[in-house]
Amino acid sequence: MNNFIVTGAAGFIGSELSKKLLEKGHRVVTIDNLSTGLKSNIPKGCKFIFGDCQNQKIYAKLPKLKYDAIFHIAGQSSAEVSFENPIYDLQTNTESTLRLLEFAKKNNCKRFIYASSVSVYGNVKKYMASEKSSTNPQSFYGIGKLASERYLKIYEKQGILSTSLRLFNVYGPGQNLNNMKQGMISIYLSQIMKKKSLVVKGKKTRFRDFIYIDDVIDIFIECLNNKNTINRIINVCNMKKISVELVIKLLFKLTKIKVPITYLSSTPGDIHGVVGENKLLKLIFKKKEFVSINEGLERMVNWAKKL
């Protein structure tokens, strides 16, 4: 049995990661402020500490264990919200990382796996982003994620073995269908099924690179025993260009519900589109295929219908 900290286990990715680690027989401790996550999402057996990762006092409440790794998933994850409250975004996405890194250093926890974001890239040439592409974030959220990556590089020199996983657009069962400011697919699906109408912020020609939740969780866990991930930044993406128009078309087909669409102007910091290059991901993890958008959406719609 290993001891892990997974921040944000009440949220979409954190809850799924915690569940999988517990299934493997490990001990999991989480810090979560329940700002967007639900307490009911925290898996049974996961030790829950209510509070903010950026709050220094919260660390005194953690069980006195020898931690084998920290998975930092928590943090507000909406570019739109980051414009509404940039200070809060800085606290949850950057100050939290520093607090956790200091805890790791003081408690001799060498392994730190960080959930970074495609948002660090901003607009890229020809819409294709590799780990070597220049970073030009267009939102406070993207800036905070990039800052955390840079802090990790400094702590690597102090003995922390880190991995920054640049998550592209993660989707799947378990995503919060009540949060209308985070998760393009969950926002659209929720509106189609609950409101019988669809409001789209931005043009239908915009596109994203979607990656299914199960693929993401597998990659997080594989980082623990894969030495090639140490002190690396890795894109976690499908390398598939999927337009907003196609997503809507597939959701109409799978839900068997077609609703009127209203197109509004884009949210602040929104980009037209970016696709991730995943050659490094496939090389390091020896992973050839990922869940397709058709299969992933079908699974998600079937899950949502049972709620």
Side-chain angles (χ1 to χ4, degrees):
M1 177 188 289
N2 291 324
N3 301 314
F4 299 119
I5 294 173
V6 178
T7 67
F12 175 39
I13 299 173
S15 64
E16 293 298 320
L17 175 59
S18 298
K19 189 187 303 179
K20 186 62 71 75
L21 290 169
L22 288 165
E23 287 173 358
K24 290 179 176 291
H26 302 302
R27 183 183 285 116
V28 179
V29 178
T30 190
I31 303 170
D32 201 301
N33 64 9
L34 303 180
S35 59
T36 55
L38 300 172
K39 190 174 180 179
S40 58
N41 286 345
I42 300 172
K44 184 179 180 180
C46 178
K47 174 66 176 176
F48 171 45
I49 309 295
F50 174 73
D52 296 307
C53 296
Q54 65 268 26
N55 181 359
Q56 179 59 40
K57 295 179 180 178
I58 207 71
Y59 294 93
K61 298 181 180 181
L62 292 174
K64 307 300 181 186
L65 300 169
K66 171 66 177 72
Y67 292 100
D68 297 280
I70 295 172
F71 294 88
H72 187 22
I73 315 292
Q76 96 72 23
S77 55
S78 165
E80 185 177 355
V81 170
S82 77
F83 279 89
E84 295 171 359
N85 195 340
I87 301 301
Y88 178 69
D89 184 86
L90 174 71
Q91 292 168 337
T92 63
N93 283 319
T94 309
E95 184 180 353
S96 65
T97 306
L98 279 169
R99 296 289 188 191
L100 283 159
L101 284 166
E102 279 297 298
F103 175 84
K105 189 171 73 169
K106 291 175 182 176
N107 290 272
N108 198 32
C109 175
K110 299 292 186 183
R111 197 72 175 97
F112 197 102
I113 302 168
Y114 179 61
S116 188
S117 168
V118 57
S119 297
V120 303
Y121 290 116
N123 293 307
V124 294
K125 293 180 179 179
K126 298 182 180 179
Y127 302 114
M128 178 65 72
S130 76
E131 291 84 357
K132 295 180 181 179
S133 296
S134 60
T135 49
N136 184 28
Q138 301 296 301
S139 65
F140 293 102
Y141 171 69
I143 291 171
K145 286 293 185 180
L146 183 59
S148 288
E149 286 186 7
R150 300 286 168 82
Y151 281 122
L152 282 168
K153 289 300 176 186
I154 293 175
Y155 277 83
E156 285 172 8
K157 298 175 183 177
Q158 300 177 36
I160 300 293
L161 307 176
S162 78
T163 305
S164 291
L165 297 175
R166 287 180 175 169
L167 307 182
F168 279 60
N169 296 77
V170 185
Y171 74 102
Q175 202 159 14
N176 189 348
L177 297 179
N178 295 316
N179 187 343
M180 292 293 103
K181 292 187 177 180
Q182 198 281 323
M184 181 186 286
I185 288 176
S186 57
I187 291 171
Y188 294 171
L189 178 58
S190 179
Q191 290 186 74
I192 292 168
M193 296 186 71
K194 296 179 181 181
K195 297 184 178 181
K196 308 306 180 186
S197 63
L198 179 59
V199 175
V200 177
K201 298 176 181 179
K203 297 178 180 179
K204 64 182 179 181
T205 55
R206 290 176 303 133
F207 58 90
R208 298 291 184 265
D209 188 335
F210 293 101
I211 183 83
Y212 189 70
I213 183 65
D214 290 4
D215 289 327
V216 172
I217 299 307
D218 288 346
I219 289 162
F220 267 106
I221 291 176
E222 286 181 45
C223 282
L224 291 170
N225 299 312
N226 191 327
K227 294 181 179 179
N228 292 321
T229 65
I230 292 174
N231 299 347
R232 302 292 286 269
I233 294 172
I234 306 167
N235 281 346
V236 179
C237 54
N238 232 323
M239 206 169 169
K240 303 287 185 184
K241 179 180 177 181
I242 307 295
S243 70
V244 168
E245 185 176 27
L246 177 58
V247 169
I248 294 170
K249 181 179 178 181
L250 290 171
L251 288 176
F252 283 172
K253 178 182 177 182
L254 291 165
T255 59
K256 297 180 181 178
I257 303 171
K258 192 170 184 178
V259 301
I261 307 171
T262 302
Y263 289 95
L264 302 179
S265 58
S266 296
T267 55
D270 190 36
I271 61 171
H272 186 73
V274 61
V275 175
E277 185 179 280
N278 64 6
K279 292 178 183 177
L280 181 61
L281 179 73
K282 288 184 173 181
L283 178 66
I284 288 177
F285 294 97
K286 296 179 173 56
K287 198 171 176 72
K288 295 180 180 179
E289 295 297 330
F290 299 91
V291 175
S292 69
I293 190 68
N294 298 70
E295 183 180 351
L297 284 181
E298 184 174 5
R299 293 183 194 176
M300 190 173 181
V301 168
N302 289 337
W303 160 78
K305 285 179 177 178
K306 296 175 183 177
L307 296 177

